[in-house]
Amino acid sequence: MTFATLDVDAIASTLIGEIGNVGRVQTRHRIKLIKAWEIEEGWNLLELGCGQGDCTVALAEAVGQDGHVTAVDPGPADYGSPATLGQAQAYISAGRLGSRITFVQENPIGFLKAAPEEKQYDAVVLCQCLWYFASLAEIEETLALLATRTKRILVSEFALASSELTSLPHLLSVIALGALAHRDPAPTTNVRTLISPEAIRRILVENVKCSVVREGTVEGAGEMQDGTWESSYTLSKSFETKVNKLVSDERERNYIFTLRDAVKSAKEKLTSKVTTMDIWFGSFTTN
């Protein structure tokens, strides 16, 4: 087993502009995940839900010159901020790690079904992307298809657990966003299908018949900005307007606004900034 030396600044420097600045924080977290997943040099990886590529470049560094990362995302090229997916991915492709990465704009299910039957990967990575999926059924079908393409499924997602009081607003926010998401015909938030680590594990073990190799919590996620982004949006006028527009049932609307009030109360009690909740990771083998 050979593991690459991973340098935060060297990896983050391959990301475009403002994403690179934020990326140093993200990259520290991605490196912790890569070590927890025990990704080796020379591996051929498939990454689903790659987005703007902040995890992709860390994976490309980890697999080294003899490895490769196929990075798939269904998002349109003009989606994203401060740089779009198209801009961010093009910048990476033109850089030092570009030759190790192939970006593909396609729905994961469509990609997996269209690939030749003999196409196999050393591992498939899903790094905090499952909440972007359109439905639980889509998550279940994707995970089932992965068993035909790899012997290792490496996944991480927000833990829906708050070890620090400062991340409580983040936890409450994603529950509110998840409650609204199923009413939104065209959701654009980071929470479209809220799913817990326990549910992910259950699908992989009971439905896909995987075995758990290792799972745990990665420390240090608090410095990431997701907690600030999602709690701020939940308290915004835009969120309030969307709830009033999309939710006609009075009890359901009251439930979402009660969660919003809880976010506000939790945030007001803090003497420091909102942080991001813990992140769960799991390593699974297919049978």
Side-chain angles (χ1 to χ4, degrees):
M1 296 173 66
T2 306
F3 302 104
T5 300
L6 303 176
D7 179 80
V8 171
D9 288 334
I11 295 171
S13 68
T14 65
L15 297 168
I16 190 171
E18 288 300 314
I19 294 176
N21 295 333
V22 175
R24 284 170 175 76
V25 173
Q26 303 278 18
T27 299
R28 279 193 288 273
H29 167 259
R30 306 313 191 213
I31 289 173
K32 290 177 182 179
L33 282 174
I34 287 168
K35 291 180 178 178
W37 285 327
E38 298 182 325
I39 291 174
E40 299 180 35
E41 286 188 300
W43 276 11
N44 178 26
L45 299 178
L46 172 63
E47 182 194 8
L48 298 183
C50 66
Q52 292 159 320
D54 59 282
C55 184
T56 311
V57 292
L59 294 171
E61 191 80 286
V63 299
Q65 293 182 352
D66 296 327
H68 194 78
V69 181
T70 301
V72 178
D73 197 284
D78 60 356
Y79 174 81
S81 177
T84 65
L85 266 64
Q87 291 169 335
Q89 293 175 5
Y91 186 89
I92 291 169
S93 296
R96 176 175 63 85
L97 298 174
S99 62
R100 306 179 194 179
I101 301 167
T102 300
F103 285 109
V104 180
Q105 183 192 355
E106 192 170 349
N107 179 278
I109 291 174
F111 175 84
L112 291 166
K113 286 183 174 180
E117 289 186 11
E118 66 273 13
K119 184 63 179 178
Q120 294 289 307
Y121 300 91
D122 292 300
V124 178
V125 175
L126 302 101
C127 180
Q128 282 120 264
C129 68
L130 290 177
W131 288 4
Y132 284 91
F133 279 57
S135 66
L136 180 61
E138 187 175 278
I139 292 174
E140 291 175 333
E141 184 176 1
T142 300
L143 295 178
L145 286 169
L146 293 184
T148 68
R149 299 296 177 183
T150 187
K151 292 296 183 183
R152 301 179 187 87
I153 299 175
L154 310 176
V155 58
S156 68
E157 196 48 86
F158 292 104
L160 290 178
S162 177
S163 60
E164 300 289 341
L165 188 61
T166 52
S167 60
L168 181 57
H170 185 208
L171 173 58
L172 295 169
S173 293
V174 299
I175 297 173
L177 292 169
L180 177 61
H182 79 286
R183 295 290 184 190
D184 193 344
T188 57
T189 67
N190 296 341
V191 185
R192 305 176 190 187
T193 298
L194 191 62
I195 186 170
S196 67
E198 289 77 11
I200 298 168
R201 184 192 311 110
R202 185 165 57 249
I203 293 168
L204 285 168
V205 173
E206 296 180 9
N207 297 8
V208 187
K209 307 304 180 185
C210 291
S211 299
V212 180
V213 176
R214 187 183 181 200
E215 63 178 322
T217 302
V218 172
E219 298 179 356
E223 64 178 347
M224 295 167 61
Q225 294 185 320
D226 300 71
T228 298
W229 293 334
E230 278 148 16
S231 60
S232 296
Y233 177 71
T234 304
L235 296 175
S236 70
K237 187 67 176 178
S238 296
F239 179 80
E240 179 182 344
T241 301
K242 183 168 279 193
V243 173
N244 285 325
K245 178 181 178 181
L246 296 176
V247 183
S248 58
D249 183 85
E250 181 181 356
R251 289 179 299 175
E252 184 180 351
R253 189 168 61 246
N254 178 66
Y255 171 76
I256 296 173
F257 280 138
T258 299
L259 282 170
R260 184 176 188 250
D261 290 341
V263 173
K264 183 173 184 289
S265 296
K267 191 172 182 179
E268 287 174 347
K269 286 180 171 58
L270 299 180
T271 57
S272 57
K273 68 176 184 176
V274 173
T275 58
T276 298
M277 73 178 97
D278 299 338
I279 292 174
W280 166 85
F281 75 90
S283 177
F284 299 83
T285 55
T286 59
N287 298 318

mmCIF file of all heavy atoms in Angstrom, residues 247-265:
data_model
loop_
_atom_site.group_PDB
_atom_site.id
_atom_site.type_symbol
_atom_site.label_atom_id
_atom_site.label_comp_id
_atom_site.label_asym_id
_atom_site.label_seq_id
_atom_site.Cartn_x
_atom_site.Cartn_y
_atom_site.Cartn_z
ATOM 1 N N VAL A 247 -45.693 26.193 0.178
ATOM 2 C CA VAL A 247 -46.318 25.345 1.206
ATOM 3 C C VAL A 247 -47.704 25.882 1.539
ATOM 4 O O VAL A 247 -47.841 26.931 2.182
ATOM 5 C CB VAL A 247 -45.439 25.280 2.479
ATOM 6 C CG1 VAL A 247 -46.077 24.343 3.493
ATOM 7 C CG2 VAL A 247 -44.022 24.823 2.129
ATOM 8 N N SER A 248 -48.722 25.160 1.113
ATOM 9 C CA SER A 248 -50.098 25.618 1.327
ATOM 10 C C SER A 248 -50.690 25.102 2.640
ATOM 11 O O SER A 248 -51.563 25.747 3.225
ATOM 12 C CB SER A 248 -50.993 25.182 0.161
ATOM 13 O OG SER A 248 -50.957 23.773 0.008
ATOM 14 N N ASP A 249 -50.221 23.956 3.098
ATOM 15 C CA ASP A 249 -50.745 23.388 4.337
ATOM 16 C C ASP A 249 -50.273 24.202 5.536
ATOM 17 O O ASP A 249 -49.061 24.390 5.738
ATOM 18 C CB ASP A 249 -50.292 21.935 4.478
ATOM 19 C CG ASP A 249 -50.856 21.272 5.716
ATOM 20 O OD1 ASP A 249 -51.989 20.766 5.655
ATOM 21 O OD2 ASP A 249 -50.161 21.288 6.761
ATOM 22 N N GLU A 250 -51.203 24.670 6.352
ATOM 23 C CA GLU A 250 -50.867 25.569 7.459
ATOM 24 C C GLU A 250 -49.961 24.909 8.487
ATOM 25 O O GLU A 250 -49.007 25.520 8.989
ATOM 26 C CB GLU A 250 -52.144 26.066 8.128
ATOM 27 C CG GLU A 250 -51.896 27.039 9.276
ATOM 28 C CD GLU A 250 -53.188 27.488 9.933
ATOM 29 O OE1 GLU A 250 -54.276 27.106 9.452
ATOM 30 O OE2 GLU A 250 -53.101 28.217 10.927
ATOM 31 N N ARG A 251 -50.238 23.649 8.812
ATOM 32 C CA ARG A 251 -49.423 22.962 9.819
ATOM 33 C C ARG A 251 -47.999 22.720 9.317
ATOM 34 O O ARG A 251 -47.027 22.859 10.071
ATOM 35 C CB ARG A 251 -50.080 21.645 10.210
ATOM 36 C CG ARG A 251 -51.355 21.798 11.046
ATOM 37 C CD ARG A 251 -51.961 20.459 11.370
ATOM 38 N NE ARG A 251 -52.329 19.731 10.162
ATOM 39 C CZ ARG A 251 -52.790 18.482 10.153
ATOM 40 N NH1 ARG A 251 -52.916 17.822 11.292
ATOM 41 N NH2 ARG A 251 -53.119 17.895 9.021
ATOM 42 N N GLU A 252 -47.893 22.351 8.063
ATOM 43 C CA GLU A 252 -46.569 22.129 7.478
ATOM 44 C C GLU A 252 -45.776 23.429 7.429
ATOM 45 O O GLU A 252 -44.584 23.461 7.759
ATOM 46 C CB GLU A 252 -46.722 21.545 6.080
ATOM 47 C CG GLU A 252 -45.407 21.192 5.418
ATOM 48 C CD GLU A 252 -45.595 20.617 4.026
ATOM 49 O OE1 GLU A 252 -46.749 20.329 3.651
ATOM 50 O OE2 GLU A 252 -44.583 20.464 3.321
ATOM 51 N N ARG A 253 -46.431 24.501 7.009
ATOM 52 C CA ARG A 253 -45.763 25.802 6.954
ATOM 53 C C ARG A 253 -45.321 26.242 8.342
ATOM 54 O O ARG A 253 -44.213 26.754 8.529
ATOM 55 C CB ARG A 253 -46.705 26.838 6.323
ATOM 56 C CG ARG A 253 -46.018 28.170 6.012
ATOM 57 C CD ARG A 253 -46.880 29.051 5.127
ATOM 58 N NE ARG A 253 -48.141 29.385 5.754
ATOM 59 C CZ ARG A 253 -49.325 28.983 5.318
ATOM 60 N NH1 ARG A 253 -49.416 28.206 4.245
ATOM 61 N NH2 ARG A 253 -50.435 29.338 5.942
ATOM 62 N N ASN A 254 -46.180 26.021 9.345
ATOM 63 C CA ASN A 254 -45.837 26.382 10.719
ATOM 64 C C ASN A 254 -44.631 25.581 11.216
ATOM 65 O O ASN A 254 -43.764 26.113 11.925
ATOM 66 C CB ASN A 254 -47.030 26.144 11.640
ATOM 67 C CG ASN A 254 -46.698 26.466 13.088
ATOM 68 O OD1 ASN A 254 -46.456 27.618 13.439
ATOM 69 N ND2 ASN A 254 -46.680 25.441 13.934
ATOM 70 N N TYR A 255 -44.562 24.306 10.831
ATOM 71 C CA TYR A 255 -43.434 23.462 11.224
ATOM 72 C C TYR A 255 -42.118 24.027 10.680
ATOM 73 O O TYR A 255 -41.121 24.138 11.402
ATOM 74 C CB TYR A 255 -43.655 22.039 10.705
ATOM 75 C CG TYR A 255 -42.462 21.122 10.870
ATOM 76 C CD1 TYR A 255 -42.140 20.579 12.105
ATOM 77 C CD2 TYR A 255 -41.639 20.807 9.782
ATOM 78 C CE1 TYR A 255 -41.040 19.748 12.257
ATOM 79 C CE2 TYR A 255 -40.546 19.978 9.922
ATOM 80 C CZ TYR A 255 -40.255 19.449 11.164
ATOM 81 O OH TYR A 255 -39.165 18.632 11.309
ATOM 82 N N ILE A 256 -42.114 24.401 9.400
ATOM 83 C CA ILE A 256 -40.895 24.932 8.785
ATOM 84 C C ILE A 256 -40.497 26.260 9.420
ATOM 85 O O ILE A 256 -39.317 26.490 9.725
ATOM 86 C CB ILE A 256 -41.083 25.078 7.269
ATOM 87 C CG1 ILE A 256 -41.291 23.707 6.624
ATOM 88 C CG2 ILE A 256 -39.869 25.780 6.641
ATOM 89 C CD1 ILE A 256 -41.658 23.763 5.142
ATOM 90 N N PHE A 257 -41.480 27.122 9.663
ATOM 91 C CA PHE A 257 -41.167 28.415 10.276
ATOM 92 C C PHE A 257 -40.751 28.257 11.742
ATOM 93 O O PHE A 257 -39.955 29.061 12.253
ATOM 94 C CB PHE A 257 -42.345 29.375 10.150
ATOM 95 C CG PHE A 257 -42.441 30.024 8.798
ATOM 96 C CD1 PHE A 257 -43.675 30.168 8.162
ATOM 97 C CD2 PHE A 257 -41.311 30.497 8.154
ATOM 98 C CE1 PHE A 257 -43.767 30.785 6.915
ATOM 99 C CE2 PHE A 257 -41.389 31.099 6.910
ATOM 100 C CZ PHE A 257 -42.617 31.244 6.282
ATOM 101 N N THR A 258 -41.236 27.225 12.423
ATOM 102 C CA THR A 258 -40.781 26.955 13.790
ATOM 103 C C THR A 258 -39.315 26.540 13.788
ATOM 104 O O THR A 258 -38.523 26.973 14.645
ATOM 105 C CB THR A 258 -41.646 25.863 14.437
ATOM 106 O OG1 THR A 258 -43.001 26.310 14.505
ATOM 107 C CG2 THR A 258 -41.160 25.541 15.846
ATOM 108 N N LEU A 259 -38.930 25.722 12.813
ATOM 109 C CA LEU A 259 -37.518 25.367 12.665
ATOM 110 C C LEU A 259 -36.680 26.611 12.379
ATOM 111 O O LEU A 259 -35.575 26.770 12.919
ATOM 112 C CB LEU A 259 -37.348 24.355 11.536
ATOM 113 C CG LEU A 259 -37.718 22.904 11.841
ATOM 114 C CD1 LEU A 259 -37.738 22.082 10.566
ATOM 115 C CD2 LEU A 259 -36.739 22.301 12.844
ATOM 116 N N ARG A 260 -37.211 27.474 11.537
ATOM 117 C CA ARG A 260 -36.500 28.722 11.223
ATOM 118 C C ARG A 260 -36.310 29.567 12.484
ATOM 119 O O ARG A 260 -35.228 30.127 12.711
ATOM 120 C CB ARG A 260 -37.290 29.500 10.164
ATOM 121 C CG ARG A 260 -36.624 30.776 9.662
ATOM 122 C CD ARG A 260 -37.487 31.364 8.551
ATOM 123 N NE ARG A 260 -36.839 32.475 7.893
ATOM 124 C CZ ARG A 260 -37.217 33.748 8.003
ATOM 125 N NH1 ARG A 260 -38.244 34.073 8.781
ATOM 126 N NH2 ARG A 260 -36.587 34.697 7.346
ATOM 127 N N ASP A 261 -37.348 29.651 13.315
ATOM 128 C CA ASP A 261 -37.239 30.389 14.577
ATOM 129 C C ASP A 261 -36.192 29.757 15.493
ATOM 130 O O ASP A 261 -35.459 30.465 16.203
ATOM 131 C CB ASP A 261 -38.593 30.423 15.294
ATOM 132 C CG ASP A 261 -39.614 31.291 14.580
ATOM 133 O OD1 ASP A 261 -39.203 32.141 13.754
ATOM 134 O OD2 ASP A 261 -40.815 31.128 14.842
ATOM 135 N N ALA A 262 -36.116 28.421 15.467
ATOM 136 C CA ALA A 262 -35.115 27.731 16.291
ATOM 137 C C ALA A 262 -33.703 28.054 15.815
ATOM 138 O O ALA A 262 -32.779 28.203 16.627
ATOM 139 C CB ALA A 262 -35.361 26.223 16.245
ATOM 140 N N VAL A 263 -33.521 28.159 14.492
ATOM 141 C CA VAL A 263 -32.220 28.561 13.948
ATOM 142 C C VAL A 263 -31.854 29.950 14.457
ATOM 143 O O VAL A 263 -30.724 30.185 14.916
ATOM 144 C CB VAL A 263 -32.250 28.557 12.398
ATOM 145 C CG1 VAL A 263 -30.943 29.135 11.836
ATOM 146 C CG2 VAL A 263 -32.479 27.159 11.867
ATOM 147 N N LYS A 264 -32.807 30.855 14.398
ATOM 148 C CA LYS A 264 -32.576 32.234 14.831
ATOM 149 C C LYS A 264 -32.210 32.279 16.314
ATOM 150 O O LYS A 264 -31.247 32.953 16.715
ATOM 151 C CB LYS A 264 -33.824 33.076 14.572
ATOM 152 C CG LYS A 264 -33.696 34.564 14.908
ATOM 153 C CD LYS A 264 -34.941 35.311 14.439
ATOM 154 C CE LYS A 264 -34.807 36.815 14.682
ATOM 155 N NZ LYS A 264 -34.876 37.155 16.113
ATOM 156 N N SER A 265 -32.949 31.559 17.142
ATOM 157 C CA SER A 265 -32.675 31.548 18.588
ATOM 158 C C SER A 265 -31.312 30.951 18.886
ATOM 159 O O SER A 265 -30.561 31.484 19.712
ATOM 160 C CB SER A 265 -33.765 30.746 19.315
ATOM 161 O OG SER A 265 -35.018 31.361 19.187
#
